[in-house]
Amino acid sequence: MRLDLLVDLWGAYMLDVDAVRKDFPSLKEGRVYLDSAASSLTPDPVIRKMVDYYSDYRANVGRGIYGISRRATDEFEAAREKIAAFIGAGRDELILLRNSSEALNLIASGVQFRRGDSVVITIQEHHSNFVVWQRVKERLGIDLKIVKSDRQGIFNLSDFEDAIDGKTKLVSLAHISNVLGVKLPVKEVAKLAHDQGSLVAIDGAQSAPHTSVNVKDLGCDFFAFSGHKMCGPTGAGALFIRGDLQEHVEPLCVGGGTIEDVGIDYYRLRRGPYRYEAGTPAIAESIGLGAAVDYLRSIGMQNISEHEQALTRRMMERLPEVPGIILYGPPNASDRAGIFSFNIKGLNSHDVALALDSAAGIMVRSGHHCALPLMKDLLAAEGSVRASVYLYNTLSEVDLFADALTEIAKTMA
Ligand SMILES: Cc1ncc(COP(=O)(O)O)c(C=O)c1O
């Protein structure tokens, strides 16, 4: 009997996937959702928490002194505290924003770059961690260095050593690639960068939902992530900025809420996260993200990771059986997260995705996955099909997917 089956039957990890699935109202009969890397589904406790806000204490935060406004503020701040603790940050180091893209833009516009500085990124970055730096290069004349991996997504640390030097102001890289599912050597790179006196930003959009993160342990100065990929609502994300750095990082927007004092000819920004949160924030969404953190923690990040590893092992056993498949990323299940990009020889990725949906109700992403430099430079492909798993997916869904894909490959190619 296969090891992953034993794990499943004997419950070596403590995730009851049938119970988990009951929490997700959009997991309806006949739907197989394999697109969590784009956006995850939302469980009932998160939806209820947001409905409570709208129906019980709908008011602005940080302003009113009446009861329900104080309650809204308390719930909003409690969410901040939980989200911060989820990644090992202090509450004053956690800025509530809309998503990873906004967080990465904040870093790019907030750090004071000068001509002659360099920024180091990798070929595997999502556009949100690529274009932002191309723009800084265009506007301020910084040198943008791009570290490449091999085709499977594996980096050579010496390439980072060569790229990072005394002129490097910042190194910004993904924790997990949204195309190859490969885990980047973020801790090692952070050490190299700090040894050269440069700052380190991690794009955690694909890691925070799936694995325990501790920003202090990673040794980063910035960590960006998106709530909608981790069982939270759309419109809520967060950015960790190391506390002592904050006075050197400008906000993206200023206005109501960001100001300690203002007169006709001066203004003084607040300290802490409020400095970056201009105007009325996404109140219900941030409270919802706090509930998503509670939800994930109640299941246990370790259990979620192990469940996804079991699904990954099954995927990596089944996918190579599909006729004509070109599977990208590392061949070993242990080197990858639950993201599987591939093409079927002779078929367009969108056609495969459409066929999976119409034939078997299987939802996957197709196209360039907002990672065109990786697609063009590394994979020499216009796009790929991408399946991605999360805590609510099952081994039988993986089998269903592999069977449907085999059928499509046989009949369409
Ligand atoms: C690695 C990575 N970075 C950044 C983003 C952007 O996230 P968002 O759309 O939530 O801003 C994504 C989204 O897919 C991603 O996968």
Side-chain angles (χ1 to χ4, degrees):
M1 185 177 277
R2 284 198 304 242
L3 183 65
D4 55 351
L5 270 181
L6 282 175
V7 167
D8 235 29
L9 287 176
W10 293 351
Y13 56 84
M14 307 287 291
L15 189 145
D16 178 350
V17 70
D18 292 333
V20 164
R21 287 175 71 80
K22 291 199 179 89
D23 291 332
F24 289 82
S26 51
L27 281 176
K28 305 210 189 308
E29 190 65 35
R31 286 188 191 172
V32 177
Y33 191 72
L34 295 178
D35 196 21
S36 296
S39 205
S40 72
L41 304 177
T42 312
D44 266 331
V46 173
I47 298 169
R48 276 204 310 272
K49 189 77 185 175
M50 288 189 292
V51 170
D52 281 354
Y53 165 73
Y54 282 114
S55 50
D56 288 353
Y57 56 99
R58 174 75 177 85
N60 212 329
V61 293
R63 314 271 198 277
I65 53 165
Y66 50 91
I68 62 165
S69 174
R70 288 203 313 272
R71 172 150 180 229
T73 304
D74 289 348
E75 294 275 3
F76 183 75
E77 290 305 327
R80 184 196 306 281
E81 198 145 343
K82 282 185 241 183
I83 300 162
F86 185 68
I87 58 158
R91 68 166 299 288
D92 288 342
E93 297 176 311
L94 202 281
I95 293 115
L96 293 167
L97 300 167
R98 281 185 305 144
N99 50 42
S100 304
S101 303
E102 190 179 13
L104 292 159
N105 272 276
L106 192 161
I107 303 167
S109 76
V111 172
Q112 309 299 300
F113 294 102
R114 293 204 190 88
R115 185 171 290 277
D117 287 341
S118 77
V119 168
V120 174
I121 60 172
T122 83
I123 191 69
Q124 293 188 22
E125 303 311 315
H126 185 281
H127 294 165
S128 296
N129 196 30
F130 207 107
V131 182
V132 289
W133 304 113
Q134 288 177 313
R135 191 157 75 151
V136 177
K137 176 181 171 171
E138 217 172 78
R139 287 184 170 170
L140 302 176
I142 59 147
D143 186 14
L144 182 59
K145 296 184 184 175
I146 299 161
V147 177
K148 295 190 178 179
S149 63
D150 68 15
R151 213 176 128 78
Q152 291 182 347
I154 309 298
F155 286 94
N156 199 332
L157 265 189
S158 66
D159 290 334
F160 284 101
E161 266 164 20
D162 292 344
I164 302 169
D165 59 25
K167 291 187 174 168
T168 308
K169 180 88 178 179
L170 184 133
V171 180
S172 187
L173 77 170
H175 201 171
I176 291 177
S177 157
N178 68 312
V179 179
L180 302 175
V182 69
K183 301 164 193 167
L184 279 77
V186 285
K187 221 169 147 171
E188 294 82 351
V189 173
K191 168 129 186 27
L192 286 176
H194 285 153
D195 287 348
Q196 292 290 348
S198 57
L199 297 166
V200 177
I202 296 179
D203 171 1
Q206 297 295 348
S207 64
H210 304 280
T211 176
S212 295
V213 167
N214 186 308
V215 289
K216 305 283 151 84
D217 182 50
L218 290 173
C220 57
D221 304 294
F222 304 94
F223 187 92
F225 58 112
S226 296
H228 68 93
K229 294 186 197 286
M230 49 183 277
C231 296
T234 55
L239 172 66
F240 156 76
I241 306 183
R242 213 185 68 215
D244 58 305
L245 264 184
Q246 292 184 2
E247 59 183 300
H248 308 294
V249 181
E250 285 285 310
L252 196 55
C253 300
V254 288
T258 63
I259 298 301
E260 192 172 281
D261 189 22
V262 57
I264 284 175
D265 54 2
Y266 73 95
Y267 68 88
R268 212 168 41 246
L269 291 174
R270 288 170 79 176
R271 287 173 175 270
Y274 311 108
R275 175 186 179 86
Y276 300 99
E277 296 173 0
T280 299
I283 302 170
E285 291 79 359
S286 301
I287 291 171
L289 179 51
V293 162
D294 283 341
Y295 181 77
L296 292 174
R297 285 200 135 165
S298 73
I299 289 164
M301 293 310 290
Q302 183 63 25
N303 291 324
I304 292 171
S305 292
E306 287 181 29
H307 179 66
E308 289 176 14
Q309 263 304 300
L311 297 169
T312 299
R313 284 194 295 275
R314 177 67 66 91
M315 277 283 192
M316 295 307 285
E317 273 171 25
R318 294 292 322 268
L319 288 181
E321 295 168 1
V322 177
I325 194 164
I326 307 160
L327 183 57
Y328 305 113
N332 294 331
S334 56
D335 291 332
R336 56 196 299 159
I339 295 175
F340 311 89
S341 288
F342 61 89
N343 275 306
I344 307 277
K345 260 183 214 133
L347 295 183
N348 178 283
S349 65
H350 297 305
D351 291 341
V352 175
L354 265 177
L356 282 165
D357 188 27
S358 53
I362 297 171
M363 292 165 256
V364 294
R365 174 95 182 257
S366 50
H368 57 61
H369 316 300
C370 296
L372 274 169
L374 181 156
M375 281 291 162
K376 291 178 182 169
D377 194 275
L378 217 59
L379 306 185
E382 273 174 28
S384 72
V385 187
R386 183 186 71 184
S388 50
V389 295
Y390 206 8
L391 72 166
Y392 34 68
N393 291 117
T394 64
L395 292 171
S396 38
E397 284 182 320
V398 172
D399 285 336
L400 200 81
F401 168 59
D403 293 344
L405 202 57
T406 302
E407 207 44 46
I408 288 166
K410 281 184 185 158
T411 52
M412 287 175 62

